[in-house]
Amino acid sequence: MNWFLKKKKEHVLFTLPLPEPTDLLDRLREKFPDIDFEYIHFGTLETFRNPETIPRDTIAGKTVLVTAGALPASPADCPDLELIHFISAGINHVQKHPIYTNSDIPLATVSGIHGPPIAEWVLMTTLLRNREYEKFYEAQKEHRWLKYPVKGARDMVQQRIGILGYGSIGRQVANVSRAMGMEVLAYTASPKTTPESRKDHGFVVPGTGDPDGSIPSQWFSGTDKADLHNFLSQDLDILLISVPLTPQTHHLISKAEFEVLEKRRTFISNIARGPVIDQPALVEALTNGDIRGAALDVTDPEPLPADDPLWDAPNVTITPHVSAQNAQTLERVFQVIEANLERKQKGEKLINIVDRKRGY
């Protein structure tokens, strides 16, 4: 037996729906001279919703695939693949694909990179509602000096924000909320009863988030309605929805939940996925004034049809799934990939690996 067999050479294939980022790839090539990198401008932005198929001869011999959602047709088409790295934080768009359901190829995400821009979006849209800014915006367009104060204007100090899904995004929202003088309450599916369990073990943009889980004044957990309603009944001024979309979270917030939130007229902010909220129930809650308003970067469906009643619901801000986008996004995507390639070479545990049973 030859005890000096060389380790199989790594071949990394990028199939992304954007032009090749030469500077970022060159940085990887310089750091990992023993890895072969190949880049293909593949698919369109629709790949995030409707994944395309990577031909068998294209994926042949590749050990790592970096993708927006495009995948080989089946596990049999990619026998050498040892890691699939998605450039999104969520992968609900591929959860019915054979690669997801019928293989054990590790799947990684770039969870952790979106905290800073999304937290700024959450803060921005919440402040717009708190300060009733839309009234001043309309008055400015009409060259009209609006009388002040507006009765409903309020600041953030001592308001309570409940963060439903305390992942990397929720942690950065907690960070900026605390800086604004707010009290943070966290909700997770599984209990976080020890300091170790409250730590963030994924990718963290330096200087952001809540790495050790020390910000929330209270932690809640559970997977049934009673647990959720207990959390929602904690006099929340703002509810941030930041859970992944899974069969368990589909329509997690519906009519019964809005009835709980009605007592405080809680403001809703959804940066997760549209179907986490029962949208007709949301429109009804907004129309009836049961909640103070809503900021939605996600809807059901997307794009939101022009005749959908959500557009005309009162006190709602809608943006087209853009809260995570900024000039640093792609660079941070590559930082996570770089970190995992380094860990893979050293035989260390990879970060942001998807638990297929949980869906994230």
Side-chain angles (χ1 to χ4, degrees):
M1 180 181 294
N2 185 353
W3 296 101
F4 301 97
L5 289 175
K6 294 180 66 176
K7 183 180 178 181
K8 181 168 62 174
K9 187 175 180 64
E10 293 274 20
H11 294 266
V12 179
L13 173 65
F14 287 79
T15 57
L16 304 182
L18 67 160
E20 180 176 338
T22 306
D23 55 336
L24 296 175
L25 271 172
D26 285 346
R27 189 175 71 188
L28 289 182
R29 291 186 174 108
E30 182 176 350
K31 181 165 183 176
F32 304 104
D34 53 339
I35 297 179
D36 285 339
F37 293 94
E38 180 181 350
Y39 191 99
I40 301 176
H41 187 169
F42 189 88
T44 66
L45 292 179
E46 272 299 304
T47 299
F48 285 101
R49 296 189 183 94
N50 301 301
E52 302 182 37
T53 299
I54 301 174
R56 184 169 186 167
D57 58 350
T58 301
I59 199 67
K62 305 303 187 295
T63 57
V64 177
L65 171 66
V66 180
T67 179
L71 293 169
S74 71
D77 289 333
C78 50
D80 297 313
L81 211 51
E82 299 174 352
L83 174 65
I84 299 176
H85 216 304
F86 293 87
I87 64 166
S88 56
I91 59 168
N92 56 286
H93 55 311
V94 300
Q95 286 178 343
K96 295 182 180 180
H97 195 284
I99 294 288
Y100 189 99
T101 59
N102 300 328
S103 84
D104 57 2
I105 302 170
L107 311 175
T109 71
V110 294
S111 177
I113 73 168
H114 300 311
I118 292 182
E120 291 180 7
W121 182 95
V122 171
L123 187 65
M124 173 188 72
T125 52
T126 304
L127 287 171
L128 289 178
R129 177 62 50 217
N130 278 7
R131 305 301 300 182
E132 298 189 350
Y133 173 74
E134 71 281 355
K135 297 179 180 180
F136 299 100
Y137 177 72
E138 294 300 328
Q140 179 183 342
K141 290 194 295 183
E142 298 170 4
H143 299 188
R144 180 165 53 91
W145 190 265
L146 193 66
K147 292 183 178 180
Y148 195 78
V150 178
K151 291 182 180 179
R154 57 196 300 190
D155 60 42
M156 308 281 272
V157 176
Q158 294 185 338
Q159 288 196 43
R160 275 189 162 192
I161 181 169
I163 301 180
L164 183 59
Y166 203 65
S168 59
I169 294 170
R171 288 169 185 262
Q172 177 59 3
V173 172
N175 192 1
V176 298
S177 297
R178 183 178 62 174
M180 296 290 290
M182 300 185 70
E183 181 184 3
V184 177
L185 284 69
Y187 189 96
T188 56
S190 56
K192 306 292 183 184
T193 57
T194 65
E196 182 62 28
S197 69
R198 293 177 177 179
K199 290 182 179 179
D200 186 351
H201 296 285
F203 181 83
V204 179
V205 177
T208 72
D210 180 20
D212 59 0
S214 63
I215 291 177
S217 62
Q218 298 182 58
W219 288 76
F220 298 81
S221 64
T223 56
D224 59 36
K225 287 291 186 178
D227 294 323
L228 176 61
H229 288 188
N230 179 44
F231 172 66
L232 298 180
S233 66
Q234 300 300 311
D235 291 332
L236 304 178
D237 297 285
I238 302 163
L239 173 66
L240 173 68
I241 300 172
S242 56
V243 295
L245 178 60
T246 68
Q248 291 71 37
T249 62
H250 184 269
H251 285 188
L252 183 66
I253 303 298
S254 190
K255 188 175 180 63
E257 287 66 48
F258 288 121
E259 290 175 355
V260 177
L261 297 171
E262 180 181 354
K263 176 185 175 184
R264 189 73 173 181
R265 295 191 68 240
T266 303
F267 179 77
I268 305 288
S269 182
N270 186 12
I271 50 80
R273 291 293 186 268
V276 174
I277 294 181
D278 178 349
Q279 199 157 282
L282 171 63
V283 172
E284 181 180 356
L286 287 165
T287 303
N288 294 341
D290 297 336
I291 58 176
R292 186 159 51 93
L296 311 170
D297 188 46
V298 290
T299 60
D300 183 18
E302 292 181 10
L304 188 65
D307 60 351
D308 194 288
L310 182 62
W311 287 112
D312 297 316
N315 299 324
V316 63
T317 300
I318 302 171
T319 58
H321 209 145
V322 296
S323 65
Q325 297 180 21
N326 68 0
Q328 298 105 308
T329 298
L330 192 57
E331 181 176 355
R332 288 174 180 159
V333 165
F334 272 71
Q335 288 174 359
V336 183
I337 294 167
E338 179 180 330
N340 266 338
L341 287 177
E342 186 170 9
R343 285 169 175 257
K344 189 173 185 297
Q345 281 202 331
K346 294 179 178 179
E348 297 176 353
K349 184 178 180 180
L350 304 183
I351 58 175
N352 292 354
I353 294 298
V354 173
D355 182 335
R356 281 173 163 86
K357 292 182 179 179
R358 302 181 74 176
Y360 55 93

